[in-house]
Amino acid sequence: MPERLIVDIGSTHVAWRRGAETGRAAHRGHPGSIITKQVNGQPSGIVVGCVAAPLALREFVDAVEAHWGLRPEMLMATAYAHGVRNGYHRPESLGVDRWAALVAAFVRHGGPVLVADCGTALTVDCVDADGLHQGGWIAPGLGLMREALARGTRLGNVPAAESVGAERVFGSDTGEAVALGCLEALAGTLERAGSEAAGACGGTCRLLLTGGGAGVVRGRLSKDWQMVPGLVLEGLALLGGAGR
């Protein structure tokens, strides 16, 4: 039986899930072309959360309509869903990826959670025991940090953090020093966010890490952090009525 296709279109990557089938790839502005080539068979419907540029979304809609004859269901953040109350003054202005991850986390654990999504940008969002979204932070992800340093200085090419040994604390050349500095800046931000979330939630808060860059930073964090791959897709499925 055909199943619904759940799609998360981020700034630089597209991720998808249909039943047990999952995938993730850099989209370079053409997420629809990737999806229609990678997904096998005809889905029964398509549920989409998108924070990419409008041109990328337009390409996606055109591609899946031409390929499958399906009009995607576009999701956005709302004031309330599955026990979570949006803390933004304008609920719809919260990124749907952040909203989906929060909803999935709260449904999973039913208590206070901090969700950190390590993607092109780092986002952290906190929801308390009553389901109230306390708000969040947005900071550059690892790639954006490196790119900003490369553009704004004469440091030259900076290696990706994952190419530097996990055991290294300080870099032995400029490239390593920048890569490790960016990684530790991200880890420090996350540990501070965890501390602040615990204070906002009465002393305890589950710390969840998701996103494409989560595995790189996990080794620099305390044991309190739990990796939860695919949390945004899980939340989009809930918001779209497709369950986990």
Side-chain angles (χ1 to χ4, degrees):
M1 177 181 294
E3 295 182 88
R4 282 211 281 181
L5 175 66
I6 312 300
V7 183
D8 169 27
I9 308 175
S11 300
T12 59
H13 287 73
V14 58
W16 63 93
R17 187 184 95 183
R18 190 182 63 163
E21 178 186 0
T22 62
R24 181 178 181 271
H27 62 64
R28 296 180 177 84
H30 295 85
S33 299
I34 292 171
I35 291 291
T36 53
K37 290 176 182 176
Q38 294 292 327
V39 174
N40 297 314
Q42 171 89 18
S44 61
I46 305 174
V47 174
V48 182
C50 179
V51 295
L55 282 176
L57 177 58
R58 182 73 260 166
E59 186 275 343
F60 176 83
V61 171
D62 290 346
V64 299
E65 284 189 336
H67 190 74
W68 286 310
L70 294 173
R71 183 76 178 178
E73 177 187 351
M74 305 303 304
L75 300 179
M76 62 186 299
T78 55
Y80 179 87
H82 294 276
V84 182
R85 287 175 289 154
N86 195 322
Y88 264 32
H89 299 302
R90 292 191 301 113
E92 70 280 2
S93 68
L94 177 66
V96 67
D97 53 344
R98 294 167 62 193
W99 179 238
L102 267 186
V103 167
F106 191 76
V107 168
R108 268 178 174 254
H109 300 292
V113 290
L114 178 75
V115 177
D117 191 340
C118 301
T120 303
L122 168 70
T123 64
V124 295
D125 284 279
C126 177
V127 61
D128 67 18
D130 296 322
L132 176 61
H133 175 217
Q134 297 289 319
W137 295 350
I138 303 175
L142 284 174
L144 288 181
M145 287 189 201
R146 294 196 306 267
E147 290 170 13
L149 276 168
R151 285 197 307 268
T153 68
R154 296 182 180 180
L155 294 177
N157 292 328
V158 178
E162 52 266 39
S163 68
V164 181
E167 75 286 351
R168 298 297 297 274
V169 177
F170 299 111
S172 58
D173 58 39
T174 299
E176 284 189 356
V178 172
L180 289 168
C182 292
L183 183 57
E184 294 296 347
L186 195 67
T189 299
L190 288 172
E191 294 291 12
R192 176 62 185 272
S195 175
E196 293 292 341
C201 295
T204 60
C205 186
R206 192 180 295 266
L207 307 179
L208 305 182
L209 197 63
T210 195
V216 180
V217 72
R218 176 64 186 89
R220 305 278 168 166
L221 298 173
S222 70
K223 60 181 176 57
D224 297 325
W225 288 89
Q226 175 187 351
M227 289 271 290
V228 187
L231 199 57
V232 173
L233 289 172
E234 186 176 312
L236 291 174
L238 287 167
L239 295 173
R244 290 194 193 180

